[in-house]
Amino acid sequence: LRLDEFFVKWCTEMQESVFKESDEEKKAAAQGMCFAIMQNPAAVAPHLGYLLMMIFRWKNLNSESELLEFFKSFLRELRDKLHQAHLWQAATSPLPPQLKQDVNT
């Protein structure tokens, strides 16, 4: 399977599970997906909102400083790569205003 073929379903499933509880397996899965995304960020650009919702719904993320820093670094790098490919504007345009503001700061 290609990344874009299962990405939305994966994010949706993770949104539900990380909202309830966080554990090492979910952290590893999320980090692995982030590494895969960085290999081909254009593939998931149209579905960026699903990834952002998964990250922002992570239960107690603020208390998990290492994971929080990982996501911040990942999102900065993803934004830079999508900007370079001229895809950031299109990827963020369908986002709700507050979410769009959060990812642009």
Side-chain angles (χ1 to χ4, degrees):
L1 286 175
R2 294 183 351 216
L3 180 60
D4 60 328
E5 292 175 346
F6 68 89
F7 178 73
V8 172
K9 181 166 178 43
W10 183 89
C11 285
T12 303
E13 293 295 325
M14 283 292 285
Q15 280 180 34
E16 294 306 314
S17 68
V18 299
F19 181 69
K20 295 174 186 168
E21 65 179 295
S22 175
D23 62 33
E24 293 305 313
E25 186 176 326
K26 291 172 190 161
K27 291 176 193 176
Q31 290 173 322
M33 178 60 79
C34 291
F35 290 127
I37 289 168
M38 293 314 293
Q39 298 305 308
N40 186 8
V44 300
H47 311 293
L48 183 63
Y50 289 95
L51 175 68
L52 296 173
M53 289 305 298
M54 186 271 299
I55 293 171
F56 292 141
R57 290 190 69 180
W58 201 285
K59 186 175 181 86
N60 300 322
L61 182 59
N62 287 332
S63 66
E64 299 187 40
S65 60
E66 187 176 312
L67 184 61
L68 179 61
E69 288 307 311
F70 173 84
F71 282 139
K72 285 180 179 180
S73 175
F74 164 74
L75 290 173
R76 280 191 299 269
E77 188 176 346
L78 179 62
R79 182 179 60 204
D80 291 346
K81 284 190 173 200
L82 291 176
H83 265 300
Q84 291 170 3
H86 306 287
L87 296 171
W88 183 252
Q89 181 74 24
T92 58
S93 64
L95 300 177
Q98 183 61 48
L99 187 55
K100 191 183 303 188
Q101 181 181 350
D102 289 346
V103 297
N104 282 312
T105 57

